[in-house]
Amino acid sequence: MATPTVTLDRAQVSVGSPADIHYRFVVAADAPAFAKDYWVFVHFLDRDGELMWTDDHAPTTPTRQWRAGATIEYMRTMFIPKFPYTGETRVEVGLFSPETG
């Protein structure tokens, strides 16, 4: 229904420091309207696929207001948690119902 893109303001972020995270969702041209409001899940995974931390949140524009062909963009600042890890991080992003998980 929508293609997400997540971009950090820099390639390397130190533990405990802030990072600006840019979220972009391009809603498919033929997407039906969302019947309810969903939340965005954002999972940061280590190289083994283990969950390190999350940035789950309600998007700035509720999904019921997203329209076919629209682009939804916003930025959030996150402080990188103190987590004992050095290396590449995979980011998984999507939508979920806060009512049902």
Side-chain angles (χ1 to χ4, degrees):
M1 296 186 54
T3 301
T5 304
V6 177
T7 308
L8 275 70
D9 63 342
R10 56 189 163 225
Q12 295 183 343
V13 183
S14 299
V15 170
S17 66
D20 290 330
I21 304 173
H22 181 250
Y23 293 96
R24 183 174 196 250
F25 294 87
V26 178
V27 182
D30 59 350
F34 285 92
K36 58 183 178 177
D37 288 326
Y38 291 89
W39 274 42
V40 177
F41 72 81
V42 187
H43 297 171
F44 295 83
L45 309 168
D46 68 14
R47 69 178 136 267
D48 296 323
E50 295 295 321
L51 180 65
M52 295 186 294
W53 67 85
T54 67
D55 185 31
D56 297 355
H57 62 274
T60 56
T61 302
T63 57
R64 281 187 294 175
Q65 295 177 20
W66 294 13
R67 300 292 175 247
T71 298
I72 311 302
E73 295 185 78
Y74 57 94
M75 191 170 318
R76 291 171 52 88
T77 300
M78 177 182 189
F79 284 82
I80 305 306
K82 292 185 178 183
F83 191 87
Y85 177 72
T86 301
E88 291 187 15
T89 302
R90 187 173 80 225
V91 180
E92 292 184 347
V93 60
L95 300 175
F96 75 97
S97 168
E99 299 164 356
T100 63

